[in-house]
Amino acid sequence: AEVGIPFVPSENKEVTLSMYYGPNKYYGLRQYHLDLEKQIPLGWGFFLMAWINIYAVIPVFTFFGNLGWNYGIIILILTILLKIFLFPIAFKTYKSSAKMRVLKPELDELNKKYPKKEDAMKKQSATMELYKKAGVNPMAGCIPLLLQMPILIAMFRFFPSSIELRQQSFLWAKDLSSFDDIFTFPGGFSIPYYGNHVSLFALLMTISSVIYTKINDQMMGSQQSQMPGMKTMMYLMPVMFLFWFNDYSSGLSYYYLLANLLTFAQIYIIRATIDEKKLHAQIEANKKKPVKKSGFQKRLEDMAKQRGYPVKK
């Protein structure tokens, strides 16, 4: 451990430190009713992250850990349970992306119709009108992803601090609370920001994330084509994670790897249940129905009128 102490040679200063040496299990600390469990960084700054760890992750770890199961298997069970819980959100996300793919030819026509920058407001208004007639919410695919973020961050806080994972081996990883180095660079060689070793779980997690990014790019291509820089950023993020997670808990990289693999399975299952031809027919039927203008669309039309653009009644 490294403990930083503020020091100024010309001053006399008293620094009070509180050190804790002892067990780090949540239930063991909580039974004293002294808030000792708050020493475990479970995401106390945001209640949702703390609740996910307290009421979902820790009970699963404790229950199966008391049965003597390997913690690699326990992480697999935890990931499956979370994916089952999140399946409705994943289904909604995929269905939203399927609707956007169905509308892509019409969106491309609007891009051709309004190619100039000064027509951006007219194109935006026409696009929103198309979404409204088709009964498509362009934000429906983003909101479910945001709802999953607390779970991802909660896992990020839990795995490195979990005392249960200390010295617990799984496959080639000797300690799930630390990195799983399968190769160390000779001669003290080290890559800046990466380290002097290769962590296999982190590498596999990165590869699976790149594959997921490609699949997601194909699913959401109609939206991302309008944001050229977004595609580059989406592929750059997994590579950045490789540098970050190489020195991190192998249990966490293993969890993210499993989450990606199970996501691939979910996508395959959802694809088999959604008929895009029927979806297209449903969208065409929605277009024929009278639609009440949303407040957002009305504001867009008011802005267009102020700029002198023609607006359809």
Side-chain angles (χ1 to χ4, degrees), residues 96-206:
S96 174
S97 66
K99 289 181 179 180
M100 297 300 296
R101 284 197 304 276
V102 169
L103 288 176
K104 188 177 187 303
E106 296 179 61
L107 292 171
D108 291 340
E109 287 297 321
L110 289 177
N111 289 331
K112 292 177 182 178
K113 186 177 180 180
Y114 304 107
K116 299 179 182 179
K117 289 185 178 180
E118 54 266 28
D119 293 334
M121 185 64 68
K122 294 165 68 175
K123 182 173 71 172
Q124 182 70 15
S125 179
T127 301
M128 294 303 298
E129 184 179 358
L130 174 63
Y131 287 154
K132 194 68 178 177
K133 284 184 176 179
V136 174
N137 182 1
M139 296 300 296
C142 301
I143 295 174
L145 292 176
L146 292 176
L147 295 177
Q148 296 183 54
M149 288 303 296
I151 295 178
L152 296 176
I153 300 174
M155 299 298 103
F156 181 80
R157 299 304 302 268
F158 173 77
F159 280 97
S161 63
S162 174
I163 193 70
E164 289 87 352
L165 296 181
R166 303 289 171 88
Q167 308 301 317
Q168 296 294 325
S169 62
F170 179 68
L171 298 178
W172 56 84
K174 299 177 182 178
D175 186 344
L176 287 172
S177 68
S178 183
F179 53 81
D180 55 314
D181 52 331
I182 59 166
F183 177 76
T184 302
F185 299 130
F189 176 75
S190 179
I191 299 176
Y193 302 105
Y194 181 73
N196 63 349
H197 63 272
V198 176
S199 296
L200 185 54
F201 273 132
L203 182 61
L204 293 175
M205 180 268 295
T206 301

Side-chain angles (χ1 to χ4, degrees), residues 187-288:
F189 176 75
S190 179
I191 299 176
Y193 302 105
Y194 181 73
N196 63 349
H197 63 272
V198 176
S199 296
L200 185 54
F201 273 132
L203 182 61
L204 293 175
M205 180 268 295
T206 301
I207 294 172
S208 66
S209 297
V210 171
I211 296 173
Y212 171 75
T213 301
K214 184 173 180 60
I215 294 174
N216 192 60
D217 185 35
Q218 294 172 350
M219 290 167 51
M220 309 291 287
S222 58
Q223 299 176 63
Q224 293 171 5
S225 61
Q226 303 175 26
M227 300 177 286
M230 181 64 71
K231 182 180 289 188
T232 303
M233 180 60 67
M234 288 184 65
Y235 281 97
L236 184 61
M237 287 299 292
V239 178
M240 294 172 61
F241 284 149
L242 174 62
F243 283 79
W244 194 353
F245 283 82
N246 193 59
D247 282 329
Y248 227 66
S249 163
S250 57
L252 180 63
S253 298
Y254 170 56
Y255 164 77
Y256 285 146
L257 170 63
L258 289 175
N260 286 336
L261 295 178
L262 291 174
T263 298
F264 298 153
Q266 279 187 343
I267 291 174
Y268 178 79
I269 294 171
I270 294 172
R271 274 182 176 174
T273 60
I274 293 181
D275 188 336
E276 292 193 6
K277 291 183 179 180
K278 290 183 179 180
L279 195 61
H280 182 264
Q282 180 185 350
I283 289 176
E284 290 300 318
N286 289 340
K287 289 181 183 179
K288 298 176 182 178

